[in-house]
Amino acid sequence: MDLQFIAFLSFIFVSLILSVWLEVKMQKNTNNILATMSIAFNINLLVLGSGSIWLLLNADYGFNIFSGIYTLIVSFIGIFFINILVMFFLRQRTVE
């Protein structure tokens, strides 16, 4: 595997793990859904945004840039839906 590809995927996995971890940790401390979701949203935006800047600086061809940015956008939406599911799971668990 190429080292640049591994670095590219690491942005996605770091964003997923960090946002879910902070979401669970913050939800235990507070019951504010909006604040918790905004923190997870901003973490995703920061990490995947820096991943797109890294991609623009290190990609070789135009197609790599296009496919990489598209992958980051799809990952952002997917991680956001995962965060919503985790939030519903956490809220359901605290209600019961």
Side-chain angles (χ1 to χ4, degrees), residues 2-12 46-60 64-65 68-69 72:
D2 188 34
L3 188 59
Q4 284 185 343
F5 183 68
I6 293 171
F8 176 72
L9 290 180
S10 69
F11 281 105
I12 297 170
L46 178 73
V47 173
L48 294 178
S50 63
S52 66
I53 291 171
W54 176 85
L55 181 70
L56 289 173
L57 295 175
N58 292 320
D60 297 332
N64 287 345
I65 294 173
I69 298 295
L72 287 174

Side-chain angles (χ1 to χ4, degrees), residues 71-91:
T71 303
L72 287 174
I73 290 170
V74 170
S75 299
F76 179 80
I77 293 169
I79 291 171
F80 188 68
F81 282 131
I82 290 171
N83 286 333
I84 290 171
L85 290 175
V86 167
M87 182 58 69
F88 280 137
F89 178 72
L90 289 173
R91 295 295 292 171

Side-chain angles (χ1 to χ4, degrees), residues 26-38:
M26 190 169 176
Q27 189 61 30
K28 286 183 181 179
N29 295 335
T30 182
N31 287 331
N32 192 350
I33 295 172
L34 186 61
T36 305
M37 288 302 293
S38 68

